[in-house]
Amino acid sequence: MTDTEPQKDKQKIKAAKRMREIMTAYYMDAMTARENNKKIAWITSGGPVEPLIAMDIIPVYPENHGAMIGASKMGEDLCVKAEEMGYSSDLCSYARADISCAQINGGPIGGLPKPDMLICCNNICGTVLKWYEVQARHFKVPLFILDTPVCHTEYSPEIATYVRRQIDDYIVFLETATGRKLDPDQMVQVGHLALKGQKLWQKVLTTTTHKPSPMSAFDAFFFLALIVTLRGTQTAVDFYEELILEMEERVQAGISSVPHEKYRLLWDNLPVWYQLKWLSKKFSDHNACLVADTYTSAWCSSIKYIDENNFLDSMAEAYTRIYLNNGVDKMADQVLDMIRLYDVDGFVMHSNRSCKPYSFGQMDIMNIVREKTGIPVLMLEADMVDPRSFSLSQADTRIDAFMEIIKQKG
Amino acid sequence: MIFAGIDIGSITAKAALIRDNKLVGTCVIPTGYNPVTAGQKVFSALLAQTQIRREDITAIVATGYGRNSVDFADKAMTEIICHGVGAHFLNPKIRGIIDVGGQDSKAIALDANGQVENFAMNDKCAAGTGRFLEVMAKALDVELDDLGTISLSSSAPSKISSICTVFAESEVISMIAGQQKREDIIAGIHESAAARVGGLATKIKLKGPVIMTGGVAKNRGMVKALENRLGITILVGDLPQENGAIGAAVLASRMTL
């Protein structure tokens, strides 16, 4: 054993093991749903999952699956397969990977369990509409679309009425699909747990305001899975309580995610799933820690709109006002808040070829951040799942140059 | 004390030596297949040329895409920083750099101290780089170095609409078949490349005075196309291709060993 190994073990977050067990159990449940007379709904990552949980329907997330495909470096083959089916290479790589995976049961877990229904909320993008229509035809299952207008400047009364009415339609859709009624008490309980889970997730993320940071955005990309897939369950609440304790212990013991943290950075957009290890090492070698990101914080950015005692009404607003469904000025404000809160030295923006709503407006946000804070901003061109849109040597030079600029300033 | 800078680019390897804050000499060779040997070769060639001994060199900084292959260098720095330092060394008034090399094109904004404030680079695409011009020169059966001079006699540049190098090449081939004038096609190629590179400059709101560096700066037609595109005067120094290596040598002289 070399001297660095115990140090490395010390830096590992212990809760990761428990998290893997929970995710495995969750996928096993979904895989065996039919034998247990349970229904499966595929749902978009920003979709309102709470009514599903309250009705004991298992939610399955093609986007979470997309992330797994990317991280296991299976994205290129599945994207190529979708292109062979006739889909454009300009289509989102999550959509391409999911559409082709459904055809061949490929990917790291041999495809997702078949859905009984599809729930699509367009608060994250417009691509999901056509993507879910394609899957609804393929699996011959009903599709519910929740249309959340973009809040360019405000959440107007018209938007409020329009979205709230659809929540009622959503419940009717679920009751028709399952042949059961939604239990209002159960809904209250799930709403309570969903809010609690989001607050805990927020708390996990803000532990990185501590210097040095006990975890990095790369850890957040991993621990995010529960607040996405199991939001509204006791499991998620218990797990994040445990994770917070561990983070607090790390802060107490002075254990940091990056061994010699000197520079703190903010990340924007989805992760580059197939290059997590390389990127993490690259920044760590520069003694830089990605302490926060706009992506994982999207799953707790609407807390202020949720009213626990009136969950269904407030849910309409909370799901409509998520980060990606806001105008660019609002997004920039949130980025500026994060720069201040986490006290970062630089801002790394992933210009993601797949995710148009996330990448559109980045140039404006970059200029706003540069003007208002003066911190260096790096734009990295890549794609979350399709490695053909990533050039390692170009990314390498850009990150080195970006870090050289930060070091010059420091 | 003498300091060296070595810049391993995708097409050429460059070396520069400075003594007492003055440039002593520079050397350029093709990189070839092996960036490691290219670094050794260009360094040895420059030492022979200037009759300076290896042991008299106090520190070496490597830069360029092959910066990490120069195993005898004391430090590796990116070409973005080196071009900034090199341009500032030669002319402290410079606030903007347009660097077009073999595989990269970039715009670099400098502050009054020659430190890089911001930069933008081409994305995963060769359009607007030296390699793009090389492909076009070949298609037109013209020496790369003659592209600039020939294009200056054009009065009606052809319009190249493809951004992609491969598509642009086939577009050029059909223009040749259509017997368009060679100078017009070349001027059109320069305008197309200038549109790509100029976009990087406007993206980061590059301020003047602007200098152009990199091998492509030796192409007068390309400089003119960029000047027209951006509506500014672009300076070109005597050693645009060596600018990164010069900057690396200056950085070597600032190293505290």
PDB file of all heavy atoms in Angstrom, chain B residues 46-61:
ATOM      1  N   LEU B  46      17.773  25.406 -32.766  1.00  0.00           N
ATOM      2  CA  LEU B  46      17.891  26.809 -32.356  1.00  0.00           C
ATOM      3  C   LEU B  46      19.195  27.047 -31.590  1.00  0.00           C
ATOM      4  O   LEU B  46      19.860  28.079 -31.766  1.00  0.00           O
ATOM      5  CB  LEU B  46      16.682  27.212 -31.500  1.00  0.00           C
ATOM      6  CG  LEU B  46      16.654  28.668 -31.033  1.00  0.00           C
ATOM      7  CD1 LEU B  46      16.732  29.633 -32.207  1.00  0.00           C
ATOM      8  CD2 LEU B  46      15.406  28.959 -30.216  1.00  0.00           C
ATOM      9  N   LEU B  47      19.579  26.065 -30.756  1.00  0.00           N
ATOM     10  CA  LEU B  47      20.844  26.207 -30.019  1.00  0.00           C
ATOM     11  C   LEU B  47      22.000  26.273 -31.000  1.00  0.00           C
ATOM     12  O   LEU B  47      22.902  27.115 -30.862  1.00  0.00           O
ATOM     13  CB  LEU B  47      21.018  25.025 -29.052  1.00  0.00           C
ATOM     14  CG  LEU B  47      20.085  24.984 -27.840  1.00  0.00           C
ATOM     15  CD1 LEU B  47      20.325  23.715 -27.028  1.00  0.00           C
ATOM     16  CD2 LEU B  47      20.257  26.212 -26.964  1.00  0.00           C
ATOM     17  N   ALA B  48      21.970  25.415 -32.022  1.00  0.00           N
ATOM     18  CA  ALA B  48      23.049  25.402 -33.021  1.00  0.00           C
ATOM     19  C   ALA B  48      23.079  26.736 -33.776  1.00  0.00           C
ATOM     20  O   ALA B  48      24.134  27.340 -33.961  1.00  0.00           O
ATOM     21  CB  ALA B  48      22.820  24.242 -33.995  1.00  0.00           C
ATOM     22  N   GLN B  49      21.897  27.194 -34.137  1.00  0.00           N
ATOM     23  CA  GLN B  49      21.771  28.433 -34.908  1.00  0.00           C
ATOM     24  C   GLN B  49      22.299  29.646 -34.133  1.00  0.00           C
ATOM     25  O   GLN B  49      22.926  30.539 -34.698  1.00  0.00           O
ATOM     26  CB  GLN B  49      20.281  28.597 -35.227  1.00  0.00           C
ATOM     27  CG  GLN B  49      19.864  29.774 -36.049  1.00  0.00           C
ATOM     28  CD  GLN B  49      18.329  29.846 -36.079  1.00  0.00           C
ATOM     29  OE1 GLN B  49      17.658  28.867 -36.381  1.00  0.00           O
ATOM     30  NE2 GLN B  49      17.763  30.990 -35.728  1.00  0.00           N
ATOM     31  N   THR B  50      22.033  29.667 -32.822  1.00  0.00           N
ATOM     32  CA  THR B  50      22.442  30.830 -32.026  1.00  0.00           C
ATOM     33  C   THR B  50      23.780  30.601 -31.320  1.00  0.00           C
ATOM     34  O   THR B  50      24.270  31.494 -30.632  1.00  0.00           O
ATOM     35  CB  THR B  50      21.381  31.134 -30.946  1.00  0.00           C
ATOM     36  OG1 THR B  50      21.122  29.917 -30.240  1.00  0.00           O
ATOM     37  CG2 THR B  50      20.096  31.652 -31.555  1.00  0.00           C
ATOM     38  N   GLN B  51      24.325  29.386 -31.488  1.00  0.00           N
ATOM     39  CA  GLN B  51      25.597  28.993 -30.850  1.00  0.00           C
ATOM     40  C   GLN B  51      25.547  29.181 -29.331  1.00  0.00           C
ATOM     41  O   GLN B  51      26.466  29.726 -28.722  1.00  0.00           O
ATOM     42  CB  GLN B  51      26.759  29.778 -31.471  1.00  0.00           C
ATOM     43  CG  GLN B  51      26.896  29.448 -32.946  1.00  0.00           C
ATOM     44  CD  GLN B  51      28.139  30.033 -33.562  1.00  0.00           C
ATOM     45  OE1 GLN B  51      28.561  31.139 -33.207  1.00  0.00           O
ATOM     46  NE2 GLN B  51      28.748  29.304 -34.464  1.00  0.00           N
ATOM     47  N   ILE B  52      24.422  28.765 -28.787  1.00  0.00           N
ATOM     48  CA  ILE B  52      24.274  28.816 -27.325  1.00  0.00           C
ATOM     49  C   ILE B  52      24.273  27.380 -26.824  1.00  0.00           C
ATOM     50  O   ILE B  52      23.725  26.483 -27.472  1.00  0.00           O
ATOM     51  CB  ILE B  52      22.958  29.551 -26.949  1.00  0.00           C
ATOM     52  CG1 ILE B  52      23.136  31.052 -27.228  1.00  0.00           C
ATOM     53  CG2 ILE B  52      22.581  29.316 -25.491  1.00  0.00           C
ATOM     54  CD1 ILE B  52      21.874  31.862 -27.147  1.00  0.00           C
ATOM     55  N   ARG B  53      24.911  27.150 -25.667  1.00  0.00           N
ATOM     56  CA  ARG B  53      24.992  25.784 -25.154  1.00  0.00           C
ATOM     57  C   ARG B  53      23.768  25.457 -24.295  1.00  0.00           C
ATOM     58  O   ARG B  53      23.215  26.343 -23.633  1.00  0.00           O
ATOM     59  CB  ARG B  53      26.275  25.618 -24.315  1.00  0.00           C
ATOM     60  CG  ARG B  53      27.555  25.638 -25.155  1.00  0.00           C
ATOM     61  CD  ARG B  53      28.758  25.561 -24.254  1.00  0.00           C
ATOM     62  NE  ARG B  53      28.700  26.608 -23.225  1.00  0.00           N
ATOM     63  CZ  ARG B  53      29.449  26.617 -22.129  1.00  0.00           C
ATOM     64  NH1 ARG B  53      30.289  25.631 -21.894  1.00  0.00           N
ATOM     65  NH2 ARG B  53      29.349  27.600 -21.255  1.00  0.00           N
ATOM     66  N   ARG B  54      23.396  24.203 -24.313  1.00  0.00           N
ATOM     67  CA  ARG B  54      22.232  23.716 -23.570  1.00  0.00           C
ATOM     68  C   ARG B  54      22.313  24.102 -22.096  1.00  0.00           C
ATOM     69  O   ARG B  54      21.336  24.516 -21.485  1.00  0.00           O
ATOM     70  CB  ARG B  54      22.152  22.183 -23.730  1.00  0.00           C
ATOM     71  CG  ARG B  54      21.138  21.469 -22.876  1.00  0.00           C
ATOM     72  CD  ARG B  54      19.729  21.775 -23.340  1.00  0.00           C
ATOM     73  NE  ARG B  54      18.708  21.153 -22.500  1.00  0.00           N
ATOM     74  CZ  ARG B  54      18.261  21.673 -21.368  1.00  0.00           C
ATOM     75  NH1 ARG B  54      18.748  22.800 -20.905  1.00  0.00           N
ATOM     76  NH2 ARG B  54      17.301  21.066 -20.678  1.00  0.00           N
ATOM     77  N   GLU B  55      23.535  23.958 -21.528  1.00  0.00           N
ATOM     78  CA  GLU B  55      23.694  24.200 -20.094  1.00  0.00           C
ATOM     79  C   GLU B  55      23.584  25.692 -19.722  1.00  0.00           C
ATOM     80  O   GLU B  55      23.469  26.039 -18.554  1.00  0.00           O
ATOM     81  CB  GLU B  55      25.004  23.590 -19.562  1.00  0.00           C
ATOM     82  CG  GLU B  55      26.253  23.939 -20.340  1.00  0.00           C
ATOM     83  CD  GLU B  55      26.533  22.960 -21.490  1.00  0.00           C
ATOM     84  OE1 GLU B  55      25.555  22.436 -22.081  1.00  0.00           O
ATOM     85  OE2 GLU B  55      27.717  22.726 -21.798  1.00  0.00           O
ATOM     86  N   ASP B  56      23.579  26.553 -20.736  1.00  0.00           N
ATOM     87  CA  ASP B  56      23.433  27.983 -20.435  1.00  0.00           C
ATOM     88  C   ASP B  56      21.980  28.426 -20.344  1.00  0.00           C
ATOM     89  O   ASP B  56      21.681  29.575 -20.031  1.00  0.00           O
ATOM     90  CB  ASP B  56      24.146  28.829 -21.505  1.00  0.00           C
ATOM     91  CG  ASP B  56      25.666  28.619 -21.448  1.00  0.00           C
ATOM     92  OD1 ASP B  56      26.159  28.281 -20.349  1.00  0.00           O
ATOM     93  OD2 ASP B  56      26.328  28.752 -22.483  1.00  0.00           O
ATOM     94  N   ILE B  57      21.084  27.487 -20.638  1.00  0.00           N
ATOM     95  CA  ILE B  57      19.653  27.824 -20.567  1.00  0.00           C
ATOM     96  C   ILE B  57      19.173  27.659 -19.125  1.00  0.00           C
ATOM     97  O   ILE B  57      19.306  26.576 -18.544  1.00  0.00           O
ATOM     98  CB  ILE B  57      18.816  26.895 -21.485  1.00  0.00           C
ATOM     99  CG1 ILE B  57      19.374  26.846 -22.904  1.00  0.00           C
ATOM    100  CG2 ILE B  57      17.340  27.298 -21.468  1.00  0.00           C
ATOM    101  CD1 ILE B  57      19.236  28.097 -23.706  1.00  0.00           C
ATOM    102  N   THR B  58      18.618  28.698 -18.570  1.00  0.00           N
ATOM    103  CA  THR B  58      18.211  28.649 -17.165  1.00  0.00           C
ATOM    104  C   THR B  58      16.868  27.917 -16.983  1.00  0.00           C
ATOM    105  O   THR B  58      16.706  27.147 -16.046  1.00  0.00           O
ATOM    106  CB  THR B  58      18.091  30.079 -16.594  1.00  0.00           C
ATOM    107  OG1 THR B  58      19.296  30.774 -16.919  1.00  0.00           O
ATOM    108  CG2 THR B  58      17.904  30.066 -15.096  1.00  0.00           C
ATOM    109  N   ALA B  59      15.923  28.192 -17.839  1.00  0.00           N
ATOM    110  CA  ALA B  59      14.614  27.530 -17.685  1.00  0.00           C
ATOM    111  C   ALA B  59      13.906  27.444 -19.044  1.00  0.00           C
ATOM    112  O   ALA B  59      14.141  28.262 -19.932  1.00  0.00           O
ATOM    113  CB  ALA B  59      13.745  28.294 -16.695  1.00  0.00           C
ATOM    114  N   ILE B  60      13.065  26.425 -19.147  1.00  0.00           N
ATOM    115  CA  ILE B  60      12.345  26.197 -20.400  1.00  0.00           C
ATOM    116  C   ILE B  60      10.844  26.057 -20.095  1.00  0.00           C
ATOM    117  O   ILE B  60      10.456  25.315 -19.186  1.00  0.00           O
ATOM    118  CB  ILE B  60      12.819  24.892 -21.095  1.00  0.00           C
ATOM    119  CG1 ILE B  60      14.338  24.926 -21.302  1.00  0.00           C
ATOM    120  CG2 ILE B  60      12.093  24.667 -22.412  1.00  0.00           C
ATOM    121  CD1 ILE B  60      14.922  23.582 -21.723  1.00  0.00           C
ATOM    122  N   VAL B  61       9.999  26.731 -20.873  1.00  0.00           N
ATOM    123  CA  VAL B  61       8.554  26.536 -20.769  1.00  0.00           C
ATOM    124  C   VAL B  61       8.047  25.995 -22.106  1.00  0.00           C
ATOM    125  O   VAL B  61       8.426  26.497 -23.167  1.00  0.00           O
ATOM    126  CB  VAL B  61       7.825  27.844 -20.389  1.00  0.00           C
ATOM    127  CG1 VAL B  61       6.311  27.717 -20.616  1.00  0.00           C
ATOM    128  CG2 VAL B  61       8.088  28.196 -18.923  1.00  0.00           C
TER     129      VAL B  61
END
